[in-house]
Amino acid sequence: MAPYLAGEKEWTWENIDDGITVMAIPLMRRAATVYGSPELSSASRRLSAQRPLTEWMAWLTSV
């Protein structure tokens, strides 16, 4: 999912929710830490720069 969320690959299926990208940032950060994945870490940084978290999301999610 990381390449699609980071915009490196085009999503060719129906997009049912525009908010999924923003909601995926904390999940990707956690996965990068847990799995020690440089690819997920890099994708989460790119994604954060493209679609920053809203203030309420930053407070509700641990990074």
Side-chain angles (χ1 to χ4, degrees), residues 32-60:
T33 300
V34 169
Y35 296 111
S37 170
E39 293 85 8
L40 285 174
S41 182
S42 177
S44 70
R45 282 193 302 274
R46 284 191 306 271
L47 191 58
S48 294
Q50 294 170 6
R51 304 275 308 264
L53 291 174
T54 60
E55 184 177 336
W56 69 269
M57 287 184 67
W59 286 105
L60 293 176

